[in-house]
Amino acid sequence: MKRRIFAMVLAAVMLLPTVLASAAFGDVTEETPYAEEIAILEAIGVITGDENNDFDPEGELLRADFAMMVGTILGYDKTPAAEQVFSDVPQDHYAAGVIAALNGSGVFSGVGGGLFEPDSPVTFAQAAKVLVSITGYQQLALAQGGYPTGYIIQASTIGISSDLPQDQPLTRAQAAHLIYQALRADLRQQTVYDNEYPQYEVVRGETLLTNVMQIYMLRNVVVNDTYKTSSQLQQQQVKIDGQIYNVGETNAANFMGQGVIIYYKIDETLPEELVLLYINTMPQSAEVIIPANDIISYSNNTLRYVEDGRTTSTYIGRDANIMYNGRSVVYDASLFNLENGSIRLSNSDGGGSYNLVEIESYENILIGGIDYENQVIYDRYDRSLMVQMPDDQSAVCEVRLP
């Protein structure tokens, strides 16, 4: 037997022309593979360009530069080289400290013979080993055969995927794509610190981005107001879904009324602690269906869930009109706390954000008894599990016979 509850959340979206984020690098255009991922990584400080502000997306990425990218994520980028670890990486090499730190932690080792080969291109297999290791899945990769096959299999399992041959040198754009995927993969973390029987757990919603870099992402949020349009906001401030942000180095004030995706950090030295790092319009999407078991949490009007194996977030406005079984009801956050069912987000008007949410929640019981007088159906094994049949038929029940 199944009880279904449906709710619709309709949010008004201002329809304004799309505003594109400014290009991060002079040689990265909208047609460049992984252009937005490159722009995001530049905005959050993982990658940089050369003296001409070029990224060289089609050029091969050197092992030393890949080490610098990974080291920046882990906070090793300012680490000085205490001693020379590899004969071909002198202490005054720009990546010497990072390479030593990554090698010491078992994340990125040399090629043998006391060499690191910092000026050789990094291969897909090498990158997979590093990214699997920093997300906590190294033991699982070793159990599947180790380097390179086990790491490539494990990388694909956690959403760090590529169809490249294992020995294929990575272009800088391809490496950016893999790093972006790794930043959003759920971390596998040690939960029991026992030398003989350590235990690990994959923690959904905790990623390198949030836990290590302390950078957060929201999607499908709307820029409500800016310092250019409101006297209530101070210079360099914008309001996004009711929350005030410092624009940082972004052009967020140009996105007034748009549905956007944002990356931000907390800076306690500023009056407004939330500082934008990246903002861009959301790509138009027809719909996304989120099974209940992919929902991580719902709080402060933010729905966090797993999409394509990665954690994402979207905002549900508190002032939205809610339809419950075709009837208008007062907003209730508990509607989003599902044990079984799904949430369907859709874009009905072509705007920049989802403006329709349909929630389906159901409960399965094995019929053990029916109280016709009180219109209650009881579970066969647990009478605390029951379905109250309403007079107004606001619930839909399905009885399925074996």
Side-chain angles (χ1 to χ4, degrees):
M1 168 175 165
K2 182 185 291 186
R3 179 178 62 189
R4 291 184 177 176
I5 303 173
F6 296 90
M8 295 184 179
V9 182
L10 302 176
V13 177
M14 296 181 64
L15 299 179
L16 295 178
T18 298
V19 181
L20 296 177
S22 58
F25 300 107
D27 58 351
V28 176
T29 68
E30 292 183 358
E31 287 72 37
T32 301
Y34 315 119
E36 182 161 16
E37 295 174 357
I38 292 171
I40 292 170
L41 293 182
E42 188 275 336
I44 65 177
V46 174
I47 60 177
T48 58
D50 60 19
E51 64 275 6
N52 299 317
N53 195 37
D54 287 335
F55 180 66
D56 189 18
E58 297 304 319
E60 292 181 345
L61 180 65
L62 304 183
R63 284 168 55 86
D65 290 337
F66 183 68
M68 286 298 298
M69 295 176 182
V70 175
T72 299
I73 294 171
L74 301 179
Y76 295 162
D77 52 318
K78 307 300 183 190
T79 303
E83 60 181 13
Q84 186 167 341
V85 178
F86 298 101
S87 60
D88 56 351
V89 183
Q91 282 186 269
D92 60 354
H93 190 283
Y94 68 91
V98 167
I99 290 172
L102 293 176
N103 177 71
S105 61
V107 170
F108 198 5
S109 56
V111 297
L115 300 175
F116 185 78
E117 295 187 356
D119 296 327
S120 294
V122 66
T123 66
F124 171 55
Q126 292 167 356
K129 178 182 183 298
V130 172
L131 298 177
V132 164
S133 297
I134 66 174
T135 49
Y137 294 86
Q138 189 171 30
Q139 288 183 327
L140 298 183
L142 291 173
Q144 296 180 86
Y147 183 82
T149 305
Y151 285 95
I152 293 174
I153 292 173
Q154 191 58 46
S156 178
T157 300
I158 63 176
I160 305 172
S161 60
S162 173
D163 57 0
L164 295 172
Q166 64 183 37
D167 294 326
Q168 173 73 39
L170 292 180
T171 67
R172 294 171 63 83
Q174 290 168 340
H177 173 60
L178 296 176
I179 289 172
Y180 179 80
Q181 291 177 319
L183 284 175
R184 297 185 59 193
D186 290 329
L187 295 176
R188 182 173 181 265
Q189 304 178 57
Q190 189 169 354
T191 56
V192 176
Y193 292 86
D194 185 299
N195 291 332
E196 189 173 358
Y197 300 107
Q199 295 183 23
Y200 296 83
E201 178 182 352
V202 176
V203 183
R204 296 179 66 183
E206 296 191 3
T207 66
L208 289 169
L209 190 69
T210 58
N211 284 39
V212 178
M213 300 190 73
Q214 296 185 320
I215 293 173
Y216 309 92
M217 181 267 286
L218 284 173
R219 59 188 296 170
N220 301 315
V221 290
V222 178
V223 179
N224 310 123
D225 225 337
T226 79
Y227 66 93
K228 294 182 178 181
T229 59
S230 173
S231 60
Q232 297 181 351
L233 294 177
Q234 298 179 13
Q235 193 74 6
Q236 304 302 306
Q237 289 183 350
V238 294
K239 184 178 287 186
I240 301 177
D241 278 320
Q243 177 67 56
I244 296 176
Y245 296 80
N246 186 296
V247 300
E249 298 183 6
T250 72
N251 58 346
N254 296 336
F255 290 81
M256 176 65 186
Q258 292 289 285
V260 295
I261 178 173
I262 64 173
Y263 286 76
Y264 66 95
K265 66 178 180 180
I266 300 173
D267 188 341
E268 297 179 353
T269 66
L270 297 176
E272 286 302 327
E273 297 179 354
L274 304 182
V275 180
L276 292 176
L277 301 174
Y278 178 85
I279 183 170
N280 203 354
T281 49
M282 280 295 301
Q284 294 185 7
S285 176
E287 69 175 30
V288 58
I289 299 176
I290 310 165
N293 58 5
D294 282 346
I295 297 172
I296 298 171
S297 65
Y298 179 78
S299 62
N300 299 322
N301 299 88
T302 301
L303 180 66
R304 300 178 68 237
Y305 58 96
V306 176
E307 181 181 28
D308 296 329
R310 297 173 181 81
T311 300
T312 190
S313 304
T314 192
Y315 185 87
I316 306 296
R318 186 178 294 277
D319 58 350
N321 296 318
I322 302 177
M323 303 298 294
Y324 175 76
N325 283 358
R327 299 182 181 182
S328 180
V329 297
V330 178
Y331 172 89
D332 186 351
S334 65
L335 291 171
F336 299 91
N337 298 326
L338 304 182
E339 293 187 4
N340 301 289
S342 64
I343 296 179
R344 176 179 178 267
L345 307 174
S346 59
N347 182 337
S348 64
D349 59 11
S353 63
Y354 297 120
N355 70 336
L356 174 64
V357 178
E358 298 170 273
I359 300 176
E360 176 179 337
S361 176
Y362 63 84
E363 186 175 339
N364 292 316
I365 69 171
L366 184 62
I367 297 176
I370 301 176
D371 183 339
Y372 291 100
E373 180 178 353
N374 296 309
Q375 293 189 311
V376 174
I377 300 176
Y378 294 97
D379 183 76
R380 175 178 295 180
Y381 301 107
D382 185 354
R383 290 185 66 83
S384 67
L385 296 178
M386 65 183 72
V387 174
Q388 178 70 53
M389 300 300 298
D391 294 331
D392 61 3
Q393 297 183 345
S394 62
V396 178
C397 294
E398 293 182 5
V399 178
R400 298 181 179 179
L401 300 179

